[in-house]
Amino acid sequence: MTTEMAALSGLFQVDKTLERWLRNKAIEAAILDDRTTRLRITHEKVDELFANPLTADRDAVYAKQLYLNLDTLAPYVSGPDSVKVGTPLHELAPQHIKINRAYIVSCTNSRASDLAAAAKVFKDTANANPDTPPKIAEGVQLYIAAASAPEQEAAEAVGDWQTLLDAGAQALPAGCGPCIGLGIGLLEPGEVGIRDAQTYLASPEVVAASALKGVISGPDTYEVPTNWSGVEYGYGTGAEPTTENKLSNFLQQMESLIERVESIETPGSEVDILPGFPEKISGEIIFCDADNLNTDGIYPGKYTYQDNLSKEDMARVCMENYDPQFDSITRPNDILVSGFNFGCGSSREQAATAILAKQIPLVVAGSLGNIFSRNSVNNALMGLEVPRLVQRLRTHFTSPSNYTKRQLTRRTGWTLTWDVKRSLIEVQEGQGGETWTEQVGELSRNVQEIIAAGGLEAWVKAEIGKAAAANT
């Protein structure tokens, strides 16, 4: 899930919980003939892992440190429609938000333990009311899909799967489906769902309890924490500050500031431009004012596996889930600018190809999701990260006190020119407005080759053709 949040990788310190899990997998692999993990997970490899565990160096430097006090956690529900919106369950439940569909699905959850937690809600209800078998609420459909076939088998073996079916749940094939808008069980216009994917995001227990009651709620065993005043979190480690870490933090901030100034004021060396590759790219800025605009917002999941969509159709539905007006506002050769973590979420390549279908050659953001950034290169879409531009646009066009009513897609009248050779952008803030420049990353020769070829696939085919010709 670290890649879904736009990180290239995520490292976690190994602990006893992981060791127990690996030991169990090693035992399974040794005694069960159908396990493909026999060579990968062995007790010898587990011994080796824990004999020299992966840890950070004592003098490791981090861009940012955050802490979260787990003792202050209480059940939360994310949504609607964004994981950036979170509400404590005990504040949301009294609102009696009616649901139409509930989902315990997706390949990142719906393990046997998740299904057991959901089944327990129905089992506890049955024990409390032995004369009335628990059933999902009228008008609600509950869908369940295990993360994998072995996880479903494990849930079936202990009866949890059947408990959910007896309550009225509808079984779906193991693996992906409704999460990316495929198969049965999709929300209809005007409906509300609570699921382990989009709309409202919650734990298996909350999903099960909500399906049972017909409104977003928790299981009957849930109690509001005594004297709970919110989750304790913040920057740093949560430990008492020392002179040493205060000094270290100060030095890191100064280094970051110096790098920032150098990126603005120091001209870089000129980039070698391939013959025929444009030395400059220029266009009017179209501003989509949103952070964490994910790939489903860029290219809806319901179109992801429709191979018969033409380029014109892909252009028409580009950004449909973010702003239905995007198609009518944009023009060929516009430059798309958005907020931070643009293109996070699933790795669908159509998020890049749909933007190209709109004849938008360049995407600029405060930061780009790494999967999207890589897919963009693979499909010949160029991208830049310019946090200052996003900040300037928001200062000029967005009122912080009225952010929820902002214009989702805006023709700004500003222009951006990217001097590829000099790795420099120039922004003209509308007619008669300020003009400023900033250094950006170099577009290396190998990336130019991929983009000029029309993407990685076309580049590979061309290279294979060259190699074949050379050998004849």
Side-chain angles (χ1 to χ4, degrees):
M1 292 305 292
T2 56
T3 53
E4 295 277 341
M5 295 185 287
L8 281 174
S9 63
L11 301 178
F12 295 84
Q13 189 167 337
V14 295
D15 58 13
K16 290 296 182 181
T17 300
L18 176 61
E19 182 178 10
R20 286 194 297 270
W21 185 86
L22 288 172
R23 295 290 183 193
N24 288 334
K25 291 298 178 183
I27 293 171
E28 286 181 3
I31 65 177
L32 299 176
D33 294 334
D34 63 342
R35 289 295 185 266
T36 61
T37 54
R38 180 165 295 181
L39 298 178
R40 292 189 291 111
I41 305 180
T42 65
H43 287 293
E44 290 75 17
K45 289 188 175 182
V46 177
D47 290 338
E48 182 181 344
L49 173 64
F50 283 89
N52 185 27
L54 181 67
T55 58
D57 294 339
R58 290 195 62 183
D59 59 349
V61 176
Y62 301 95
K64 184 183 294 184
Q65 287 182 293
L66 305 172
Y67 75 90
L68 175 67
N69 185 346
L70 298 182
D71 287 336
T72 65
L73 275 182
Y76 263 70
V77 175
S78 294
D81 303 324
S82 172
V83 295
K84 302 293 285 185
V85 179
T87 307
L89 176 61
H90 65 266
E91 292 181 12
L92 202 62
Q95 299 178 31
H96 299 289
I97 299 173
K98 184 181 183 301
I99 69 168
N100 304 100
R101 301 176 189 239
Y103 305 80
I104 303 173
V105 296
S106 106
C107 53
T108 54
N109 281 291
S110 214
R111 296 177 290 270
S113 57
D114 298 310
L115 296 166
K120 186 177 184 300
V121 173
F122 291 98
K123 291 177 180 178
D124 289 345
T125 302
N127 291 334
N129 304 278
D131 298 329
T132 307
K135 297 287 183 182
I136 60 175
E138 185 176 352
V140 175
Q141 297 181 69
L142 171 62
Y143 299 93
I144 58 173
S148 64
E151 293 294 332
Q152 180 173 332
E153 292 170 2
E156 289 173 338
V158 295
D160 293 328
W161 190 260
Q162 191 60 46
T163 295
L164 296 170
L165 295 179
D166 291 343
Q170 301 178 52
L172 301 178
C176 285
C179 308
I180 55 170
L182 299 177
I184 64 172
L186 305 183
L187 286 173
E188 300 296 333
E191 291 186 333
V192 176
I194 182 163
R195 51 182 167 163
D196 287 346
Q198 297 173 351
T199 305
Y200 283 94
L201 177 74
S203 67
E205 295 94 332
V206 172
V207 174
S210 300
L212 183 63
K213 298 176 183 178
V215 295
I216 296 179
S217 57
D220 292 333
T221 55
Y222 171 68
E223 296 182 1
V224 179
T226 305
N227 298 325
W228 188 82
S229 59
V231 177
E232 181 186 331
Y233 65 96
Y235 293 104
T237 63
E240 287 296 322
T242 64
T243 302
E244 181 181 1
N245 61 39
K246 281 183 179 180
L247 179 60
S248 175
N249 290 341
F250 174 75
L251 291 174
Q252 289 181 40
Q253 291 174 23
M254 292 302 297
E255 289 171 359
S256 176
L257 178 60
I258 292 169
E259 290 176 2
R260 172 74 170 167
V261 171
E262 288 177 345
S263 73
I264 296 173
E265 298 181 350
T266 306
S269 58
E270 290 192 348
V271 175
D272 184 21
I273 301 295
L274 287 175
F277 196 91
E279 290 193 11
K280 292 185 178 181
I281 297 169
S282 185
E284 182 180 348
I285 292 173
I286 295 297
F287 187 35
C288 292
D289 188 4
D291 294 331
N292 305 296
L293 207 169
N294 63 30
T295 51
D296 194 64
I298 301 169
Y299 193 78
K302 62 184 178 182
Y303 303 120
T304 303
Y305 295 106
Q306 294 186 26
D307 295 333
N308 60 343
L309 256 65
S310 66
K311 182 179 290 186
E312 292 74 21
D313 288 334
M314 291 183 69
R316 179 178 50 80
V317 302
C318 181
M319 294 286 183
E320 182 181 280
N321 279 357
Y322 166 69
D323 181 8
Q325 303 303 315
F326 181 86
D327 180 54
S328 62
I329 295 173
T330 55
R331 301 169 189 162
N333 298 313
D334 283 337
I335 291 177
L336 174 60
V337 178
S338 191
F340 294 82
N341 200 22
F342 180 84
C344 58
S346 71
S347 59
R348 65 195 72 169
E349 66 179 22
Q350 293 94 333
T353 56
I355 293 174
L356 283 171
K358 286 292 296 178
Q359 300 181 58
I360 293 173
L362 174 63
V363 173
V364 181
S367 61
L368 296 167
N370 282 307
I371 295 177
F372 175 83
S373 184
R374 181 67 243 191
N375 274 337
S376 295
V377 174
N378 289 350
N379 290 283
L381 174 65
M382 291 179 280
L384 291 173
E385 295 184 342
V386 188
R388 182 186 177 192
L389 176 57
V390 177
Q391 293 162 1
R392 295 286 296 179
L393 286 164
R394 285 179 169 166
T395 298
H396 190 86
F397 293 108
T398 305
S399 169
S401 62
N402 203 24
Y403 183 74
T404 57
K405 295 182 180 180
R406 72 197 185 283
Q407 189 173 330
L408 295 178
T409 305
R410 178 190 296 274
R411 299 201 67 84
T412 63
W414 295 18
T415 57
L416 181 146
T417 300
W418 178 19
D419 188 329
V420 181
K421 188 177 183 67
R422 297 169 59 206
S423 302
L424 188 78
I425 64 160
E426 178 181 281
V427 176
Q428 171 66 52
E429 297 185 353
Q431 188 173 1
E434 183 179 342
T435 299
W436 53 272
T437 61
E438 181 162 336
Q439 289 293 135
V440 294
E442 294 184 357
L443 191 68
S444 62
R445 189 178 180 88
N446 63 325
V447 174
Q448 290 180 48
E449 290 177 351
I450 293 172
I451 292 171
L456 185 61
E457 182 179 347
W459 179 83
V460 170
K461 287 180 178 179
E463 291 299 306
I464 292 174
K466 290 178 186 177
N471 292 327
T472 57

